[in-house]
Amino acid sequence: MSHQVVELNCPGCGARVSTAQKECDWCHKPIVISTFNSVYSMPMPEVNKYAGVYRKALTENPDNTELNKSIAMCYLKLKMYDKALGAFEKAIEDNFDDSEIYFYAAICLLNGKKAFPVSYTHLTLPTNSRV
């Protein structure tokens, strides 16, 4: 089940929490990472801590969409694009409607580089071709 409530330890302070909570009652940090902005300003050691908690919770609940999306956001912040892509793909399996997951999966496929259109002025055609 993709929307089941999972009990885990708060990645911030270690208190017992569930994925139904948005933030920890004790340290007021997010329990489930739902946007990249949630991890953007976190220091790398804290992101690693969050990823570890999610990895542990995913061993018992490997198909949980919220946990897969959360760990994928952590991996994306850590620039571990292959691992992030795998977690985003797992999250997509049970949640086709979340366009944000597709967007971040595309970033992983591009290894964090920006997509840009090719300018036709920079293209050269072979000399024997016709336009």
Side-chain angles (χ1 to χ4, degrees):
M1 297 192 131
S2 63
H3 296 290
Q4 73 187 64
V5 175
V6 176
E7 296 221 356
L8 56 121
N9 292 335
C10 171
C13 68
R16 199 73 181 144
V17 294
S18 74
T19 55
Q21 295 175 246
K22 295 291 183 204
E23 69 176 34
C24 178
D25 293 334
W26 300 97
C27 68
H28 303 290
K29 292 193 178 193
I31 303 301
V32 176
I33 304 294
S34 57
T35 65
F36 189 71
N37 287 340
S38 301
V39 294
Y40 182 75
S41 62
M42 282 185 192
M44 292 300 185
E46 188 173 7
V47 176
N48 276 322
K49 193 174 173 183
Y50 269 75
V53 169
Y54 296 139
R55 256 192 314 275
K56 185 177 177 185
L58 281 166
T59 59
E60 296 175 11
N61 304 285
D63 296 328
N64 187 287
T65 302
E66 293 173 323
L67 292 175
N68 278 302
K69 184 177 178 183
S70 296
I71 199 166
M73 292 292 183
C74 292
Y75 286 148
L76 183 60
K77 167 72 175 176
L78 295 168
K79 298 183 181 186
M80 300 171 75
Y81 302 114
D82 292 336
K83 285 188 173 192
L85 180 60
F88 280 126
E89 288 174 343
K90 198 80 164 130
I92 288 171
E93 288 176 9
D94 293 322
N95 190 356
F96 296 114
D97 296 332
D98 190 350
S99 60
E100 195 170 287
I101 296 174
Y102 291 96
F103 173 75
Y104 288 118
I107 290 173
C108 294
L109 286 170
L110 295 169
N111 288 324
K113 296 177 184 148
K114 293 181 181 180
F116 59 92
V118 176
S119 173
Y120 291 110
T121 59
H122 293 96
L123 295 176
T124 57
L125 296 173
T127 56
N128 61 354
S129 67
R130 296 180 187 168
V131 179

